[in-house]
Amino acid sequence: MGKKNAFPILIEGLKKMEYRGYDSAGICVGHNNDLMLAKKKGRVVELEKDFLNEYGVCSLDGSCEKRYELKEIKGGMGIAHTRWATHGEPNETNAHPHFDCKKEIAVVHNGIIENYNALKEILEKEGHIFVSKTDTEVISHLVEKFYQGNIEEAAIKAIKLIEGTFGLAIICKKENKIIVARRGSPVVLGVGENENIVASDVVAILPHTKRVIYLNDNEMAVLMQDGYAVKNLDGQNVEKNIEEIKWAAEEIEKGGYKHFMLKEIFEQPKAVENTLRGRIDEDNNVKLSLDIDFSNLKRIIIAACGTSWHSALIGKYLIEKSANLPVEVDYASEFRYRNPIVGPDDLLLVISQSGETADVLAALREAKQKGAKTLGIINVVGSTIAREVDSGIYLHAGPEIGVASTKAFSCQVTALLLLALFLAQKRGVKIDKEIFVELKNLPKKIEETLKNSDKIILLADKFKDAKNFLYLGRGMNFPVALEGALKLKEISYIHAEGYPAAEMKHGPIALVDSNMPVVFVATKDNTYSKILSNMEEIRARGGQIIAITNEVSQDIQRLSQNIIAVPRCAEELSPIINTIPLQILAYHIADKKNLDVDKPKNLAKSVTVE
Ligand code: M6R
């Protein structure tokens, strides 16, 4: 909202936000008492192409008869959305923005309106005509119902009736204002010079301003030409601090790499260095400023999703081994719905790159409500989870844009090891000081590991047409197998399973034949000889073994023609070193298949709906 033409700002903003959802996109700009609309199934570039081809923007006055050319669009007020479908298939009709019957009010919305069916029924009885299959459309009709010349008042009345989650923006062609509100879905307000920009992620705001205000649940903001006001949902003003985003604008660009995922894989030495920075002092004490009383702590429960859940599994090994404290790991989505037994002697640790994953947030709130202490390992500063935990450890990994998480994983495991050592210190458990030497060398070892890239590209070529993959590992490297399999399936669409290597005999071995590549994480630890036996078992059944190892022994050479050698490191760090080749393998397989690595189908970077 401001004096500049909103249209190009919105298109650029959508491109930055696209990693959050990309099955359809839409824009609505208000100008000269008209709303101009463009929607398209597919990516933002498809939407943009229409304008470049002078297809123009459809005016909502006169049922899209009138089309504006790009040069005619000059409005300084606009909203836009790139969608990850929840209700209604991805198509042009279901793309946001959604309108009221008179096409005077436009709404974009993240989240889920849980009572939309009931509201829709009432509104339809009152004569409202719905055109889409989305839950969002009820918001536009509700605002229309209450609109009597004041969009802010109408929005407040509508919001009071909706149940569920929302991060939403509303405009009305008769007023020069944008109303935004949040409950459960992020909304950030960027405060610029003579303009204010709202988005669900700071990446869309960063090119315009670094000064932001994070809305809390049940807060709204009114953006006007000459300013903004933050209010509660009763319309009373709320005092908010303006915070400064620390990321540099270049960090959200590809910087010469073909994909963000590749860039982020290669950023891992720096990212891990940033996670470690200032957290180990000269006397090898881990320094974490955590505002939590650990004295009567009996147990840690870690809740997370996806890749963050895999780091949580590694965290269990690390904390139990170093700090001698029991740890349970839960899928955040399961934790919340099984009435977990947690209380004041427990610490709920949530791990989330985005800090916005809805299931993780719900688990956090559940545990807090039951009196547990809470701690977060989070990347995105100012995210909802970061603001709701009692205390936290930021990763400082920089923005992660590729949908497949890479550098966040390495930094999460690093942060978990720091936490494990910190807890060991607190609990008086002896620490082998060699681990600090290893930790300080970790960025260099990651760099060394990345040098394997060319060899892995050849393997990607060899195995890119496989239909299935099996990933096997033991101990701390079992979660690495899970992570390797997740990376491959989410970006290459090849079916892959991760399994504890010894468990494979209890079922999955039935799948093994000469068409099955089996990736073994076989680095030297106390299970090394056992894992060699597991490799023999696969070899005996004709499986093609890819071995990640730091011990290129005769045995390994006999068992596998596809060896990826990684540097030796402490067992605690091996999950980081061993995951890197698996990220590179998945990346190159997907790239060789010409797939959209950064935006795999059906996925979104932050899953802000339950
Ligand atoms: O932002 P979060 O760490 O909470 O996200 C959790 C998962 O959605 C995420 O790790 C997802 O599994 C990635 N696509 C994995 O690469």
Side-chain angles (χ1 to χ4, degrees), residues 505-520:
K505 289 194 284 296
H506 302 280
I509 200 162
L511 298 167
V512 174
D513 60 20
S514 58
N515 296 319
M516 173 73 96
V518 183
V519 181
F520 269 95

Side-chain angles (χ1 to χ4, degrees), residues 305-308 351-355 357 360 403-405 412 486-487 490 605 607:
C305 302
T307 287
S308 301
I351 307 178
S352 175
Q353 185 287 129
S354 61
T357 301
V360 181
V403 163
S405 187
Q412 286 166 349
L486 175 62
K487 285 294 87 95
E490 74 178 324
K605 181 67 181 167
V607 184

Side-chain angles (χ1 to χ4, degrees), residues 112 131 139 328 587:
I112 294 179
V131 294
I139 307 173
E328 288 173 22
Y587 170 80

Side-chain angles (χ1 to χ4, degrees), residues 452 454-456 458-459 462-463 518-520 522-523 528 532 535 544-566 581:
N452 278 319
D454 289 348
K455 169 125 204 240
I456 301 172
L458 298 178
L459 292 181
K462 182 168 171 187
F463 292 106
V518 183
V519 181
F520 269 95
T523 43
Y528 182 67
L532 286 182
M535 287 167 85
Q544 304 191 56
I545 294 176
I546 301 169
I548 315 285
T549 187
N550 53 14
E551 174 81 8
V552 187
S553 62
Q554 284 185 348
D555 279 331
I556 296 252
Q557 283 173 313
R558 180 175 51 79
L559 289 163
S560 169
Q561 267 74 59
N562 314 294
I563 297 174
I564 304 171
V566 291

